[in-house]
Coordinates of all heavy atoms in Angstrom, one line a residue:
Chain B
V986 N 206.8 134.5 -5.9 CA 205.8 135.7 -6.0 C 206.6 136.9 -6.0 O 207.4 137.1 -5.1 CB 204.9 135.6 -4.9 CG1 203.8 136.7 -5.1 CG2 204.1 134.3 -4.8
P987 N 206.6 137.8 -7.2 CA 207.5 139.0 -7.1 C 206.9 139.8 -5.9 O 205.7 139.9 -5.6 CB 207.3 139.6 -8.3 CG 206.2 138.8 -9.0 CD 205.8 137.6 -8.3
N988 N 207.8 140.5 -5.3 CA 207.5 141.6 -4.4 C 206.8 142.6 -5.1 O 207.5 143.4 -5.9 CB 208.7 142.0 -3.6 CG 208.4 143.0 -2.4 OD1 207.6 143.9 -2.7 ND2 209.0 142.8 -1.4
P989 N 205.6 143.0 -4.7 CA 205.0 144.2 -5.5 C 205.6 145.4 -5.3 O 205.5 146.3 -6.3 CB 203.6 144.1 -5.0 CG 203.7 143.6 -3.5 CD 204.8 142.7 -3.5
Y990 N 206.2 145.7 -4.2 CA 206.8 147.1 -4.0 C 208.1 147.2 -4.8 O 208.3 148.1 -5.6 CB 207.0 147.3 -2.5 CG 205.7 147.4 -1.8 CD1 205.6 146.5 -0.8 CD2 204.9 148.3 -2.2 CE1 204.2 146.7 -0.1 CE2 203.6 148.5 -1.5 CZ 203.3 147.5 -0.5 OH 202.1 147.8 0.0
A991 N 208.9 146.1 -4.7 CA 210.1 146.1 -5.5 C 209.8 146.1 -7.0 O 210.2 147.0 -7.8 CB 210.9 144.8 -5.3
S992 N 208.8 145.3 -7.4 CA 208.4 145.2 -8.8 C 207.8 146.6 -9.2 O 208.0 147.0 -10.3 CB 207.4 144.1 -9.0 OG 206.6 144.2 -9.9
S993 N 207.0 147.3 -8.3 CA 206.4 148.5 -8.7 C 207.5 149.6 -9.0 O 207.5 150.5 -9.8 CB 205.5 149.0 -7.6 OG 204.3 148.2 -7.5
L994 N 208.5 149.5 -8.1 CA 209.7 150.4 -8.3 C 210.4 150.2 -9.7 O 210.7 151.2 -10.4 CB 210.6 150.3 -7.1 CG 210.3 150.9 -5.8 CD1 211.4 150.6 -4.7 CD2 210.3 152.5 -6.0
R995 N 210.6 149.0 -10.1 CA 211.1 148.8 -11.4 C 210.1 149.1 -12.5 O 210.6 149.8 -13.4 CB 211.4 147.2 -11.5 CG 212.7 146.8 -10.6 CD 213.1 145.5 -11.1 NE 212.0 144.5 -11.1 CZ 211.8 143.8 -9.9 NH1 212.5 143.8 -8.8 NH2 210.7 142.9 -10.0
K996 N 208.9 148.6 -12.4 CA 208.0 148.8 -13.6 C 207.2 150.2 -13.5 O 206.7 150.5 -14.5 CB 207.0 147.7 -13.5 CG 207.6 146.3 -13.9 CD 206.4 145.5 -14.2 CE 205.4 145.3 -13.0 NZ 204.3 144.4 -13.4
K997 N 207.4 150.9 -12.4 CA 206.6 152.1 -12.3 C 205.1 151.9 -12.5 O 204.4 152.6 -13.0 CB 207.1 153.2 -13.2 CG 208.6 153.6 -12.8 CD 208.8 155.0 -13.1 CE 210.2 155.3 -12.6 NZ 210.4 156.8 -12.7
S998 N 204.6 150.6 -12.1 CA 203.2 150.5 -12.4 C 202.8 149.5 -11.1 O 203.5 148.6 -10.7 CB 202.9 149.8 -13.7 OG 201.7 149.1 -13.6
S999 N 201.7 149.7 -10.6 CA 201.2 148.9 -9.5 C 200.0 147.9 -10.0 O 199.6 147.2 -9.2 CB 200.7 149.8 -8.5 OG 199.6 150.6 -9.0
S1000 N 199.6 147.9 -11.4 CA 198.5 147.2 -11.7 C 197.3 147.4 -10.9 O 196.5 146.4 -10.5 CB 198.8 145.7 -12.0 OG 199.6 145.7 -13.0
T1001 N 197.2 148.5 -10.3 CA 196.0 148.8 -9.3 C 195.5 150.1 -9.7 O 196.2 151.0 -10.0 CB 196.7 148.9 -8.0 OG1 197.3 147.8 -7.7 CG2 195.7 149.2 -7.0
I1002 N 194.2 150.1 -9.6 CA 193.3 151.5 -9.7 C 192.7 151.6 -8.5 O 192.2 150.7 -7.7 CB 192.5 151.5 -10.9 CG1 191.3 150.6 -10.8 CG2 193.2 151.4 -12.2 CD1 190.3 150.7 -11.9
A1003 N 192.5 152.8 -8.0 CA 191.7 153.2 -6.8 C 190.4 153.8 -7.2 O 190.1 154.4 -8.1 CB 192.5 154.3 -6.1
V1004 N 189.4 153.3 -6.5 CA 188.0 153.9 -6.6 C 187.7 154.6 -5.2 O 187.8 153.9 -4.1 CB 187.0 152.7 -6.7 CG1 185.6 153.3 -6.8 CG2 187.2 152.0 -8.0
V1005 N 187.5 155.9 -5.2 CA 187.4 156.7 -4.0 C 186.0 157.2 -4.0 O 185.6 157.8 -4.8 CB 188.3 157.9 -4.1 CG1 188.2 158.8 -2.8 CG2 189.7 157.5 -4.4
I1006 N 185.2 156.7 -3.0 CA 183.6 157.0 -2.9 C 183.4 157.4 -1.5 O 184.0 157.0 -0.5 CB 182.9 155.8 -3.4 CG1 183.3 154.5 -2.6 CG2 183.1 155.6 -4.9 CD1 182.4 153.3 -3.1

Side-chain angles (χ1 to χ4, degrees):
Chain B
V986 182
N988 180 317
Y990 295 119
S992 161
S993 291
L994 278 175
R995 284 193 307 271
K996 290 196 301 178
K997 298 203 170 195
S998 159
S999 59
S1000 288
T1001 300
I1002 62 169
V1004 178
V1005 185
I1006 52 176

